[in-house]
Amino acid sequence: MKFNRHGRIFQVAGLGLLVASQAAALSGCTTASLEDAAPVAAAAGPQAGGVAAAGPRMTGEYPNLNVPPASAATPITVSEKEALKRDLTATREKLGAGASAGDSSAEAARLRLLARTHAQRRLEEIERGE
């Protein structure tokens, strides 16, 4: 669509704004209900079999924040932590010892040569029409 300099773009933008406002006004005509927000089973309270649903319970007492919560998983021991640290340190040293500045410059030169030869082969293939 081509716009001229006489303000046609503002007419199109105004029309788009009008359509958007009408759509917003029409969407407000519906009412949300509790059934739309949550299933009936969730609002019913205790589940089948007498088991209470998870969540807050009214006990009539204030919560005691000084009681530490139960751990979800057993924490690792100090000896397990030290063993993991030793393993990770040994692996880091093993991986770090293999690379040196001379190796990286030789590898960079090898990759540059590979790029030049690959580019040259590709150009020759294109020129041949393959």
Side-chain angles (χ1 to χ4, degrees):
M1 178 183 297
K2 187 174 181 182
F3 297 109
N4 60 14
R5 58 191 163 121
H6 298 291
R8 179 113 171 111
I9 191 167
F10 296 111
Q11 292 173 350
V12 171
L15 181 63
L17 184 61
L18 179 68
V19 169
S21 65
Q22 292 294 326
L26 288 176
S27 69
C29 292
T30 61
T31 13
S33 64
L34 184 59
E35 288 80 22
D36 294 336
V40 177
Q47 297 175 351
V51 179
R57 294 183 313 270
M58 297 298 291
T59 61
E61 299 176 2
Y62 288 108
N64 186 357
L65 301 178
N66 295 322
V67 177
S71 178
T74 57
I76 63 172
T77 63
V78 175
S79 61
E80 290 173 333
K81 177 181 170 184
E82 294 300 322
L84 287 172
K85 283 172 89 174
R86 279 194 309 271
D87 291 343
L88 289 173
T89 304
T91 304
R92 183 184 312 132
E93 290 172 356
K94 183 174 71 171
L95 291 175
S100 66
D103 291 343
S104 63
S105 62
E107 180 67 12
R110 184 187 73 80
L111 290 174
R112 284 192 194 97
L113 177 65
L114 179 66
R116 277 196 302 269
T117 57
H118 178 70
Q120 186 62 35
R121 280 184 292 178
R122 239 4 223 162
L123 287 173
E124 289 171 1
E125 289 176 8
I126 291 171
E127 288 173 356
R128 283 193 306 240
E130 293 180 357

